[in-house]
Amino acid sequence: MSWLLLSPMLIPFLGASVAFLAWNRPRFGQVVGVVSAVLLLITSVALLLDVHANGIRVVQAANWEAPFGISFVADHLSAIMVVLTAIIGLATIVYSLFDINRERTYYGYYPLLLTLLFGVNGAFLTGDLFNLYVWFEVLLLASFVLMSLGGTRPQLDGTLKYVFINLLASALLLVAIGLTYGMTGTLNMADLAVKLPLVENSGLVTAVATMFLIAFGIKAGIFPLFAWLPASYHTPPVAVSAIFAGLLTKVGVYTLIRAFTLLFTQDVGYTHQLLLWAAGLTMLTGVLGAAAQFEIRRILSWHIISQIGYMIMGLALYTPLALVGAVFYITHHIIVKANLFFVGGIIKRLTGSFELEETGGLYKASPLLAVLFLIPAFSLAGFPPLSGFWPKYILFRAGLEVESYLIVAVALITGILTTFSMTKIWAQAFWKGTPEGAARPVRGSRFRELRALYLPVMFLAGITIVIGVYAQPFLELAQASAAELLDSRAYVESVLGEGAYDPVLALTGSELGVAP
Amino acid sequence: MNSLILRVVGRLLVPLMLLFSVFLLLRGHNEPGGGFVGGLMAVGAFGLYSLTYGVATARKALFVDPRTLVGLGLLLAVISGFGAAFIDAPYLTGVWFVWDLAPDFTLHVGTPTVFDVGVYLVVIGGVLMALFSVEDD
Amino acid sequence: MSYAIALSFLVAALAPTIVRFAGRASPWILAILPASIFAWFLSLTGRVREEGSIVQQITWVPGLDANLTFHLDGLSLLFALLVSGIGILIVLYGGGYLKGHPQLGRFYLFLLFFMGSMLGVVLASNVISLFVFWELTSFSSYGLIGFIHEKERSRAAALQALLVTSLGGLVMLVGLILLGSMGGSFELTQLTLQDSLSEHPFYVGALLLILAGAFTKSAQFPFHFWLPGAMEAPTPVSAYLHSATMVKAGVYLMARLNPALGDTTLWLYLVGGIGLVTMVVGAYLALAHTDLKKLLAYSTVMALGQLTMLIGLGTELAIQAMVVFLLVHALYKAALFMAAGSIDHETGTRDVRELGGLAGVMPLTFAASLVAALSMAGLPPLFGFVGKEIVYDATLSLDSGAALFTTFAVLANIAVVAVAGIVALRPFLGARRQTPKAPHEAPFTMWIGPALLGVGSVVFGLLPALVGPTFMVGAASAVLGEPQSFELALWHGFNLPLLLSAITVASGVILYLAWPRLRTGFGNFDRLFGEVPRLGYEWTLDALARVAAWQTRTIQNGSLRWYLFVIVAFFVALTGATLLFRGGIALPDTTGSVHIFEVIVAIICAGGALVVVLARSRVAALASLGITGYALALLFVMFSAPDLALTQLFIETLSVILLTLVVIYLPPLRRSEATPGRTRPVVRDAVVSALAGGLVTLLVWGVIANPLDMTIPEFYGENSYTQAHGRNIVNVILVDFRAIDTMGEILVLALAGIGVFTLMRLRANRARAPRVFAYRLAPEEERGLVPAERTDIAGPLPDDDEWEQDERGPNS
C-alpha cells in the first residue's frame, strides 16, 4: 500500500533522474516524460479510489513512527490534488511535444517538468511541515529553471521578480516553521494539530499563524502579495505558463487550507476573518487587473488571482458547505485555467500574437478552436452547466448561510467581470475580423500541423463538461474532503494512532470553538 | 590564472582533496562528514583544478559530464529507497548488512550508505555544472 | 419533456452538419424539430387540463438540491407552445433570410440551442435548473446578437445584452437560493404552495434579488436599453428571442412566482409600478425612432411593461388580461418583426422615412403585416381587440388606483396604435421611394410565417373560445395558484372598455398622422429615458476601465523594490498587530546568561549584513556576505554542531567564489536606477526592514520563553546507533530519519546547477545565433492602459540585440 501512496512522487522523480542521466538524448526525455505522466495518472487515480474506499492512507517514510520520521498522508483533498496534478501534467507534456522546440528539450525541459510534478505531489502528500518547505524549494527551483529556460530578456525580468518574491516567501516560511517547532518541538502536522492547541501562549500561535498566512499567501497569490504572478506568468512558453497557472498557486491554496483547518484553528474568529478580507480583496483586485489588460496571457494571469479569491472565500467561511465549495473550485479551476492557457497558445500559433488587437478572424478560421475556447472561458465565468457554475453556486449558498452578504456581493461582481474579460478575448480574437496588416490566421497544411495541440485541449475541455454535467460524484468527493478537513480527528489518528487526538477533544469541550 | 604557485599547489592538493572527500563521505555516518560535505570537498578540488588548468582540462579530468553525475546521483538516491521493498517495509527504510570484521571493528553497509553516495554525486555534479558554465563564460 | 429539451440540444449540435449536407432543404428538415415538439405539447393539452400538471423528475446533483425536475401546467404549456410554434416559423424564415450565408449552420446551432434552453426555462420546476436554462438563453442570445460578428456594433450590443442579463441572472441566483432556504425547498411546485413566505425575514431581500433577474431579462425600465441594442441581431433572432420568447422569461418567472411571492404591497408597488413606467416609457420611446426594428423593439418594451404591470396588479382579471395579452403580443409582434425583416431584406433599408408604396410589390407581406398591425392597434375583430378590452377591464376594476393605471394604459396604447401604423402602413402606402435594392415579394419561407400568425390573430379574435377555455384558463389558473374559469369574447357590449378602446384608436390615428412633425419632439424624450440608462451603462464600463487601470498601475507598477516592500510591510503590519492585539508577547527570563562570544558572533553577523546593504561594489558586498556566513558557522561550532559548521564553511566559500566569478563579468553597480526626479525610498525601506527584524526577534523571544519539547531530539539520540547504524546523528537524520527531505534538497541543488548552466549556455548560444527560438515574445511596450512590467534593479542581464529592439517597440 505504501508504494501506491508514494508513487505520485517516485514516478516523476525516477523519470526525471533517468532523463537527466540521458541528457544528451532529448527524444528519450520526451518518451520518459509521456510514460511517467501516464503512469502518474493511473497511480494517482488508483490512490484516490483507494482513499475513497478505505479512508485516509498514511506512510511513515523510512519506517520511523510518527512524529519521528516523515509521514506522508493521503486524505481526500490530497488525493484529489494529486489526480489533478497528474491530469495537468499529462496534458502539458503532450502539448509540449508539439510546442516546445528542440533546444529547450535539449536543456532538460521534460525532466524539469517531471521534477515540478514531483515537488507538487510532495507538497500535497506530505504530513510534515519542514518537508513541505523542501517541496516548496523544489517547486521554486524547478519553476525558476523552466521559466528562465530560453532566456529572452522579458523572461529573465519576470523570472527575477518571481524568484526574489518567492525567496522572501520561503524565508518567511522557514522562520515560521522554526518558530512552530520552537513552540511545540515537532514538525509532524498531525502532531502539531494536537500540540498547537495546547500551547499556552495562544496569542503567539496566532501571530505565527499569520506568518504562515503570508508565506502561503504569497505562493497562492492572494492580495496584497501576488505581485510576482502578473509580473512573470506571461513570459515563459505557454505550456509552462499553463502548468504554472494550473498548479503552482493551488499548492499555496492547498497549504493554506491545510494550515487553517488542521493546524491553526484555535482562533478561527480572527484568522478566518482575515482570510475572508483577503479573499474579497483578492477577487476584486484580480478581476480589475484583468479588465485592464489586452494581452491574452496577462488577462488569464490576473484571473488566476481573482479565482484564488473564491477558493480562499471557501476556506474563510469555514463551514462544511464552504469548504466543499473551495475544494470544488480548485478542481474546476485547475482544469479550466491550464486549458485556457493552452488555447491562448494555439491562438498565438494561429494568428502570431497574444495581443488582442493583433488577433482576429478565428471564429471563421477555426470553429473547433472557437468551441474549445468557449467551454473553458464560460466555465471560468461560471456559466451553467459547466464546471465553474457549481462551486460558485456552492460558495454563494455557503456565504448566504452564514449571512456574509458582503463577500457574496463581491463574488457576484467578480463573476460578472470575469464574463466581461472572457467575452473580451472572444470578441477580439474570434469574432473580430483579421486586423489590417496582421497575419491571416493559419489555414491549410500549417493548420493541420497544429492539430496535435488540440488533443490536450479537448481532453481538458471534456473534463470540464463532465464535471459540469455529471457533478454529483465530484460533489461527493469534495464533500468527503470537507468533512475530513473540518474534523481533524481522523487525520491525526491515522498518523499517530488511536486516541492521539483525545487531548484536543478534551479541550474542545471547554474553550475551543472548533467547528463541527 | 597561470600562476606557478597555483599550479604546483594544485598538482599536490587536488588529489589529496579528492581522497579526503571520499574519506569524508565514508566516515560520515559515524563522525562529522557525509555525502554533502564530501561532495563539496570534491567540488573544491575540481574547482581548484579548473582555475589552475582551465575548464576544459578539468572537464576531462572529471571523465563524465557533470550532468551525468547529477542524473546518476539522483537515480542512486531514489533507488536506494527501494531496498526496503525486499524487507516489506515502507520506502527508504534502511536495509543493513553488518559484518564483524575484527573484534573492535564492525562494518555497517546499508541502503542509507548508497543514498549518501547519491547525495555525494549530485553535489559534485550540480555545483560543478554551475561552476564550469560560469567559468566558461 | 426532458426529451424535447435534449433533442433540441442534439439537433442544435448537428445543425452545422445538416446545413452542410442538406443545403437548401435544411430549413425544412430543421423545422421538423420544433414542429414535432409543438405537436407533442399540443397533444398533452387535454392531460394538462384534466390533471392540472404533469411532472417529470430526473436526479442530477441532489447534494446541491439541483435536479432536473420538469413540470408542465397551463402556464408552462402556453409558453412551450409559443416557443416551439413560433420556432417553426422562425426556422423557416431564417432559412430564407440568411439564404446562402456561410454561417447559416452556426445560426441554426445557436437558434435551436436557444429553443432548447427556453423550453427548459418554462418547464423547469427546480429553481437551480431553471437558472441553468436561464443562463443558457442569455448565452445563446449573446451568440445570436453577435451573429454579424465582424461588425463592432454587433459585438458591443451582444456584450451589452449579455452583461445586463447575466448580471441580473447572478443576482437572481442569489435570490433563488434565499427563496429556497426560506421555503425549505428548491422546487417551484413546493414553493408556490406556501403562502407564508411573505412573512419571512428574507422576503424583501429575496424578492428584490429575484426581480432584478426578471427585470433585466424582460427589459424593464431602467434596464430596457439593451433590448433596442439587441436589434443588431439578424431579424429572425429579433422576432424570436427579443420579442416573442426570451424577453418574456422574466415575465414568466414573475407569473410563476406570483402565488408564492405576490399579494403584498411591495409586490404591487414594485412589479406594478415598474411595469407601468416601462409600459409608458417604452411606448413613447418608440415614436422617437425611424428604424423599423427600433420601433418594434421599443413597442416590445411597452408590451413587457404592460405584462409586468398586470402581474403586479395580481387580481384575477389582471392575470387573465396578462395571459391573453401574452398570446396577442406574441402573435402580432413576431409577425411584424418578420415583415420588417422582409422589407429590410428586399429593399436594403429599414428606415421608414425611406420606405413607401411597397404594397404593390410585396402584397402578401403587406397583407400579413396589416393584419398584425390591426391586432396590435386593438381593432375588432382581431385578437388584439379582445386583449385590449380585457386589459382595460382589469385596470378599471381595481380597488385602488384604477384611474391611474387605466389612464396610463390608455396613454401607452395610444402610442402603440401610432407605432402600428408607422411600421405596417407607412412602408406600404403612399408613393414608391427609391431604395438601395429593388424590392420583390419575399420568398415563400419568409411570408408564410407572418401570414400564419396573422391568420391566428384573426381566428382567435373571431373565435376566442378556441384558445380561451383550453390555454388561457389553464395559464391563468397556474399564475393565480387556484383553478379559474372564465370565457373570452369578442363582443362585450357597449361599456367603458369599449369606449376607452375607441378613444385609444382615435387618438392613436391622430398621433400617427401628426407623427412626422412630432418625431423630433420625441427625440428629447428619447434622450432622457432611452439614452441616459444606456449612457449609465457605458459610463459604468468606462469607470471600470479607469479604476482597473489606476489600480493596476498602483499595485503592479513593475518595480520589484515596491513589491518586496509591500510584502515586508504587510508582514510587519499583520503579524505585528496580531502579536500586539492577540497578546502573544512574552520575554524569556534567560537574558542574563548570554555568553560574551555569542554576542560577538551576533555583532559580526549583523555587521556583515549591514555592510552588504551599504557596500558600493559587488565584490565588497559578497565579501561581507561571506563574513556573515562564517560567523554563522562559528555559531554552529559553539553549539557543538561540527557537521553543520563544516558544511556552512564549504558552502560559504564556494558561493563567494562562484558569485565573484559572476560579478567579474558584470558592469559596475549602478546607483541611480530610479526615475529621475524621484528619490529612492531608502528611509522607508530601512525602517520597514528594521521593523521586520525587530518583529522576528520578538517572535523568537516569545518562543524561547518556554522550554523546547525535547521528545524528538531525544528519540534521535537514543535510536541513531541502535536502530539506524550511525553515531553521527546529523548524518543519520539526513540519510535516514528525514531522508526524504534530503532527496528534495539534492534535487534542489541539481536544479540550481542546471539553472545556472542553462542560463549561461542558452545565452551564449543566442549570442551566436540570435534567432534560435521560434517562440520569441511579443514586444513588451505599453499597450493601452497599463505600463509593461519593468525591472529596476541592475540585475545580471547582459544587453542583447533582441531586447533593445523590443524596448523601442513600434513607436520608434
Side-chain angles (χ1 to χ4, degrees):
Chain A
M1 210 68 267
S2 80
W3 302 96
L4 181 58
L5 201 162
L6 288 180
S7 56
M9 300 169 63
L10 293 176
I11 290 169
F13 193 101
L14 267 171
S17 322
V18 172
F20 277 137
L21 196 60
W23 54 269
N24 53 355
R25 301 182 57 194
R27 272 263 161 223
F28 182 69
Q30 295 184 331
V31 174
V32 169
V34 175
V35 170
S36 310
V38 171
L39 286 176
L40 188 60
L41 185 57
I42 295 170
T43 51
S44 52
V45 170
L47 178 65
L48 179 60
L49 293 176
D50 182 33
V51 169
H52 196 55
N54 304 317
I56 299 175
R57 313 301 289 174
V58 178
V59 169
Q60 312 291 358
N63 212 16
W64 298 104
E65 65 178 297
F68 304 109
I70 296 175
S71 310
F72 286 85
V73 189
D75 62 356
H76 270 93
L77 179 60
S78 298
I80 292 171
M81 299 305 288
V82 168
V83 171
L84 291 169
T85 306
I87 292 173
I88 296 302
L90 182 60
T92 306
I93 285 176
V94 172
Y95 190 90
S96 303
L97 291 179
F98 307 99
D99 198 49
I100 294 297
N101 61 358
R102 283 179 52 191
E103 181 127 21
R104 279 196 176 88
T105 310
Y106 181 76
Y107 284 99
Y109 176 82
Y110 290 94
L112 284 167
L113 271 187
L114 289 177
T115 57
L116 189 79
L117 295 177
F118 166 68
V120 171
N121 281 338
F124 290 148
L125 289 171
T126 187
D128 186 282
L129 211 48
F130 182 77
N131 192 244
L132 179 65
Y133 171 79
V134 173
W135 303 132
F136 271 134
E137 293 298 281
V138 170
L139 283 182
L140 177 56
L141 261 291
S143 51
F144 152 65
V145 184
L146 278 171
M147 195 176 267
S148 63
L149 199 64
T152 59
R153 178 86 185 223
Q155 227 178 325
L156 291 183
D157 177 69
T159 309
L160 207 64
K161 286 167 184 159
Y162 176 82
V163 169
F164 267 95
I165 296 176
N166 275 286
L167 279 175
L168 184 60
S170 296
L172 273 171
L173 179 60
L174 196 57
V175 173
I177 291 174
L179 294 170
T180 311
Y181 180 74
M183 289 189 292
T184 58
T186 186
L187 292 166
N188 184 293
M189 298 205 281
D191 203 19
L192 283 168
V194 181
K195 289 191 172 148
L196 277 171
L198 304 176
V199 173
E200 274 172 39
N201 190 347
S202 69
L204 189 65
V205 175
T206 310
V208 173
T210 61
M211 289 185 75
F212 279 103
L213 197 161
I214 294 170
F216 292 151
I218 294 175
K219 301 282 180 187
I222 64 172
F223 179 85
L225 311 165
F226 56 64
W228 59 271
L229 198 157
S232 61
Y233 268 23
H234 60 281
T235 59
V238 79
V240 175
S241 297
I243 195 167
F244 285 10
L247 293 178
L248 289 191
T249 45
K250 262 53 73 182
V251 178
V253 175
Y254 166 83
T255 50
L256 274 175
I257 293 180
R258 198 54 93 193
F260 288 93
T261 55
L262 182 65
L263 305 180
F264 300 107
T265 51
Q266 73 289 338
D267 197 358
V268 171
Y270 179 74
T271 48
H272 289 60
Q273 191 63 35
L274 279 176
L275 283 168
L276 196 60
W277 278 100
L281 290 166
T282 307
M283 281 187 232
L284 277 184
T285 45
V287 84
L288 283 175
Q293 302 297 332
F294 297 91
E295 201 257 36
I296 294 172
R297 291 174 305 176
R298 287 179 194 268
I299 295 175
L300 295 177
S301 299
W302 277 97
H303 270 296
I304 300 174
I305 298 168
S306 77
Q307 310 285 312
I308 297 288
Y310 282 101
M311 304 169 204
I312 305 299
M313 169 183 166
L315 170 63
L317 291 173
Y318 202 58
T319 63
L321 191 62
L323 279 165
V324 170
V327 176
F328 208 135
Y329 212 110
I330 294 173
T331 312
H332 138 74
H333 175 86
I334 288 180
I335 304 284
V336 161
K337 182 56 78 170
N339 205 9
L340 281 172
F341 269 95
F342 288 143
V343 175
I346 299 179
I347 292 177
K348 154 84 175 171
R349 292 284 290 268
L350 289 176
T351 65
S353 181
F354 284 114
E355 293 287 349
L356 288 179
E357 226 172 79
E358 294 162 8
T359 59
L362 288 174
Y363 187 59
K364 259 189 191 161
S366 179
L368 174 63
L369 187 66
V371 174
L372 290 175
F373 172 78
L374 282 178
I375 291 170
F378 275 84
S379 178
L380 192 79
F383 265 70
L386 295 163
S387 63
F389 163 66
W390 297 109
K392 232 167 238 176
Y393 161 53
I394 297 170
L395 287 173
F396 282 173
R397 227 174 128 169
L400 293 174
E401 260 178 18
V402 294
E403 307 190 3
S404 295
Y405 300 119
L406 186 62
I407 196 77
V408 174
V410 169
L412 203 148
I413 291 168
T414 308
I416 193 74
L417 289 178
T418 309
T419 310
F420 177 71
S421 279
M422 290 301 114
T423 49
K424 185 162 75 182
I425 299 180
W426 170 256
Q428 295 286 313
F430 288 87
W431 267 354
K432 189 181 67 185
T434 314
E436 272 180 46
R440 292 239 145 230
V442 175
R443 305 187 82 148
S445 61
R446 278 270 283 116
F447 179 73
R448 274 194 289 281
E449 264 174 47
L450 293 174
R451 267 206 207 150
L453 292 177
Y454 287 67
L455 272 176
V457 175
M458 287 195 253
F459 173 54
L460 295 180
I463 297 178
T464 305
I465 293 178
V466 168
I467 297 179
V469 176
Y470 197 53
Q472 183 67 16
F474 297 92
L475 176 72
E476 278 163 18
L477 285 176
Q479 281 170 332
S481 313
E484 283 168 357
L485 290 172
L486 282 171
D487 181 13
S488 306
R489 183 174 179 167
Y491 186 99
V492 169
E493 292 195 339
S494 47
V495 176
L496 297 174
E498 290 288 316
Y501 199 58
D502 293 350
V504 184
L505 292 180
L507 207 63
T508 316
S510 53
E511 42 184 298
L512 277 181
V514 182
Chain B
M1 283 188 231
N2 204 357
S3 128
L4 184 65
I5 303 172
L6 206 60
R7 276 209 241 179
V8 174
V9 172
R11 187 153 298 191
L12 281 173
L13 218 51
V14 168
L16 273 178
M17 283 168 81
L18 283 177
L19 212 61
F20 186 59
S21 86
V22 176
F23 169 69
L24 275 178
L25 163 70
L26 293 181
R27 75 169 206 155
H29 216 53
N30 293 307
E31 309 290 333
F36 210 80
V37 182
L40 287 174
M41 187 55 132
V43 169
F46 282 104
L48 188 61
Y49 198 74
S50 70
L51 281 179
T52 318
Y53 298 97
V55 180
T57 327
R59 276 188 197 278
K60 269 188 207 136
L62 190 61
F63 287 121
V64 284
D65 193 284
R67 277 179 284 178
T68 314
L69 280 185
V70 167
L72 201 64
L74 290 175
L75 200 60
L76 222 58
V78 68
I79 285 180
S80 76
F82 284 99
F86 296 102
I87 57 168
D88 200 23
Y91 183 69
L92 276 175
T93 307
V95 181
W96 289 94
F97 304 93
V98 181
W99 291 283
D100 290 313
L101 293 180
D104 57 344
F105 183 72
T106 319
L107 183 65
H108 298 255
V109 175
T111 50
T113 321
V114 180
F115 185 86
D116 219 12
V117 174
V119 174
Y120 178 78
L121 293 179
V122 174
V123 171
I124 297 177
V127 183
L128 280 184
M129 200 192 282
L131 194 67
F132 285 169
S133 50
V134 170
E135 280 186 83
D136 259 340
D137 210 47
Chain C
M1 285 171 266
S2 56
Y3 288 121
I5 297 165
L7 202 63
S8 306
F9 289 149
L10 184 71
V11 177
L14 295 176
T17 321
I18 294 175
V19 169
R20 191 176 312 147
F21 289 110
R24 302 175 70 173
S26 51
W28 295 96
I29 295 175
L30 289 168
I32 296 172
L33 171 78
S36 36
I37 293 176
F38 181 78
W40 185 70
F41 277 116
L42 208 56
S43 74
L44 289 176
T45 314
R47 253 185 85 190
V48 172
R49 221 172 133 195
E50 282 158 28
E51 299 171 22
S53 66
I54 304 171
V55 176
Q56 184 190 14
Q57 260 182 320
I58 303 170
T59 311
W60 189 20
V61 191
L64 295 170
D65 298 309
N67 289 311
L68 292 169
T69 325
F70 299 107
H71 166 248
L72 186 72
D73 63 0
L75 184 65
S76 300
L77 181 67
L78 177 62
F79 268 95
L81 287 172
L82 277 178
V83 170
S84 52
I86 297 182
I88 309 170
L89 306 177
I90 295 292
V91 167
L92 293 179
Y93 182 86
Y97 188 84
L98 291 170
K99 196 164 122 193
H101 194 286
Q103 294 185 352
L104 183 63
R106 292 183 211 184
F107 170 79
Y108 278 127
L109 187 154
F110 278 110
L111 197 76
L112 296 176
F113 184 82
F114 164 77
M115 191 181 79
S117 316
M118 190 66 204
L119 284 174
V121 169
V122 298
L123 293 173
S125 160
N126 180 288
V127 291
I128 301 305
S129 40
L130 182 136
F131 173 79
V132 170
F133 291 117
W134 181 281
E135 291 291 275
L136 288 180
T137 61
S138 294
F139 171 74
S140 38
S141 154
Y142 174 69
L144 287 167
I145 298 174
F147 182 72
I148 307 161
H149 54 86
E150 290 186 351
K151 229 171 94 190
E152 194 171 350
R153 278 181 64 86
S154 300
R155 296 199 298 269
L159 178 67
Q160 178 176 289
L162 181 74
L163 285 183
V164 174
T165 53
S166 68
L167 178 63
L170 276 178
V171 173
M172 181 184 83
L173 173 65
V174 175
L176 291 174
I177 296 172
L178 281 180
L179 180 68
S181 66
M182 279 157 66
S185 166
F186 279 75
E187 297 295 325
L188 284 170
T189 39
Q190 301 292 317
L191 288 166
T192 45
L193 291 178
Q194 305 187 10
D195 40 9
S196 57
L197 288 178
S198 54
E199 283 140 38
H200 198 281
F202 286 169
Y203 172 75
V204 177
L207 179 66
L208 290 175
L209 295 170
I210 291 173
L211 287 183
F215 285 173
T216 48
K217 195 80 164 182
S218 282
Q220 297 297 301
F221 184 85
F223 307 114
H224 60 284
F225 60 91
W226 73 262
L227 187 57
M231 293 301 125
E232 291 296 331
T235 308
V237 175
S238 311
Y240 194 33
L241 276 70
H242 304 123
S243 77
T245 55
M246 186 184 87
V247 288
K248 298 218 173 90
V251 172
Y252 166 79
L253 185 69
M254 288 186 278
R256 176 58 77 202
L257 290 173
N258 182 49
L261 298 176
D263 209 19
T264 62
T265 333
L266 185 67
W267 175 274
L268 173 67
Y269 285 137
L270 210 57
V271 180
I274 292 287
L276 176 82
V277 173
T278 310
M279 173 180 75
V280 177
V281 167
Y284 285 92
L285 279 178
L287 293 173
H289 292 269
T290 57
D291 177 349
L292 279 176
K293 286 181 74 178
K294 285 269 165 68
L295 277 155
L296 289 171
Y298 277 115
S299 75
T300 306
V301 172
M302 174 273 167
L304 294 167
Q306 181 162 302
L307 289 167
T308 306
M309 178 188 84
L310 290 168
I311 296 172
L313 298 179
T315 60
E316 286 190 10
L317 259 178
I319 298 302
Q320 289 167 16
M322 193 279 286
V323 292
V324 173
F325 183 63
L326 186 78
L327 181 60
V328 168
H329 176 252
L331 290 176
Y332 76 68
K333 190 55 68 66
L336 284 175
F337 259 115
M338 287 193 248
S342 299
I343 292 172
D344 183 17
H345 191 254
E346 293 300 322
T347 64
T349 179
R350 300 194 307 241
D351 193 325
V352 282
R353 288 169 302 180
E354 295 174 13
L355 294 165
L358 292 173
V361 279
M362 302 175 72
L364 292 168
T365 309
F366 173 57
S369 59
L370 187 65
V371 173
L374 291 178
S375 182
M376 180 173 173
L379 287 172
L382 292 146
F383 196 38
F385 175 72
V386 181
K388 194 182 290 176
E389 292 287 281
I390 186 170
V391 169
Y392 287 157
D393 204 8
T395 55
L396 283 170
S397 60
L398 283 176
D399 293 336
S400 62
L404 175 86
F405 282 103
T406 310
T407 312
F408 279 106
V410 171
L411 279 175
N413 278 298
I414 290 171
V416 169
V417 173
V419 172
I422 295 165
V423 296
L425 296 180
R426 269 187 73 101
F428 294 101
L429 303 181
R432 274 292 305 279
R433 305 268 180 99
Q434 198 58 43
T435 50
K437 276 160 70 179
H440 306 279
E441 179 56 270
F444 173 72
T445 47
M446 288 176 70
W447 64 254
I448 184 69
L452 283 178
L453 291 171
V455 170
S457 289
V458 176
V459 171
F460 297 156
L462 291 172
L463 298 166
L466 270 181
V467 286
T470 42
F471 302 109
M472 297 297 115
V473 172
S477 309
V479 178
L480 286 162
E482 49 205 36
Q484 301 287 309
S485 64
F486 58 90
E487 281 179 14
L488 295 178
L490 185 64
W491 184 248
H492 289 277
F494 293 98
N495 54 11
L496 196 49
L498 186 67
L499 177 64
L500 290 175
S501 274
I503 294 173
T504 308
V505 173
S507 319
V509 170
I510 295 168
L511 186 59
Y512 166 69
L513 293 173
W515 178 69
R517 266 157 289 150
L518 290 176
R519 196 174 54 77
T520 41
F522 286 114
N524 294 324
F525 186 70
D526 180 47
R527 269 185 284 285
L528 184 59
F529 291 100
E531 294 288 296
V532 168
R534 193 178 56 77
L535 288 176
Y537 163 83
E538 280 170 10
W539 183 87
T540 312
L541 282 193
D542 284 348
L544 186 81
R546 271 197 299 277
V547 171
W550 167 81
Q551 168 219 275
T552 312
R553 267 199 310 274
T554 314
I555 59 176
Q556 194 73 21
N557 62 2
S559 156
L560 179 59
R561 187 190 191 104
W562 165 249
Y563 299 161
L564 293 174
F565 167 76
V566 168
I567 292 174
V568 176
F570 187 67
F571 162 61
V572 169
L574 181 63
T575 309
T578 308
L579 197 63
L580 216 58
F581 297 120
R582 310 306 283 186
I585 298 176
L587 296 179
D589 54 359
T590 50
T591 26
S593 65
V594 176
H595 200 281
I596 181 73
F597 287 130
E598 292 171 35
V599 177
I600 292 172
V601 172
I603 289 173
I604 297 175
C605 225
L610 200 65
V611 175
V612 174
V613 180
L614 298 175
R616 294 211 164 262
S617 83
R618 289 201 174 93
V619 178
L622 280 177
S624 331
L625 205 60
I627 292 172
T628 310
Y630 286 135
L632 219 59
L634 267 178
L635 216 59
F636 288 140
V637 173
M638 280 152 66
F639 287 96
S640 50
D643 266 278
L644 295 188
L646 198 61
T647 314
Q648 175 73 19
L649 274 174
F650 267 118
I651 291 196
E652 216 51 54
T653 314
L654 267 175
S655 38
V656 169
I657 292 175
L658 201 64
L659 287 171
T660 314
L661 276 174
V662 173
V663 160
I664 289 170
Y665 296 102
L666 288 181
L669 202 58
R670 278 173 292 170
R671 269 295 178 194
S672 52
E673 278 293 322
T675 332
R678 252 172 59 191
T679 46
R680 301 184 325 139
V682 178
V683 177
R684 178 196 79 185
D685 291 359
V687 168
V688 166
S689 310
L691 283 174
L695 179 57
V696 172
T697 311
L698 214 57
L699 287 163
V700 172
W701 277 347
V703 166
I704 59 176
N706 286 309
L708 179 64
D709 181 336
M710 293 298 284
T711 324
I712 291 175
E714 277 162 13
F715 176 90
Y716 288 160
E718 282 160 19
N719 294 291
S720 174
Y721 190 71
T722 52
Q723 300 282 315
H725 306 262
R727 285 192 196 86
N728 179 358
I729 300 178
V730 174
N731 189 263
V732 174
I733 292 177
L734 285 178
V735 301
D736 201 336
F737 288 126
R738 299 186 64 93
I740 287 238
D741 280 349
T742 313
M743 238 169 90
E745 288 301 346
I746 56 174
L747 186 58
V748 168
L749 194 89
L751 289 171
I754 292 166
V756 175
F757 175 77
T758 52
L759 270 181
M760 290 293 174
R761 190 55 64 89
L762 281 177
R763 202 175 58 77
N765 280 356
R766 205 176 46 255
R768 284 194 296 275
R771 301 222 174 259
V772 155
F773 286 108
Y775 310 103
R776 295 183 352 100
L777 291 146
E780 285 288 297
E781 85 283 358
E782 180 169 335
R783 191 169 288 283
L785 301 162
V786 179
E789 282 292 330
R790 63 184 170 81
T791 187
D792 64 357
I793 68 166
L797 306 172
D799 294 324
D800 74 56
D801 309 352
E802 202 173 308
W803 173 246
E804 289 296 317
Q805 185 194 344
D806 286 350
E807 236 178 358
R808 282 197 304 274
N811 301 328
S812 58

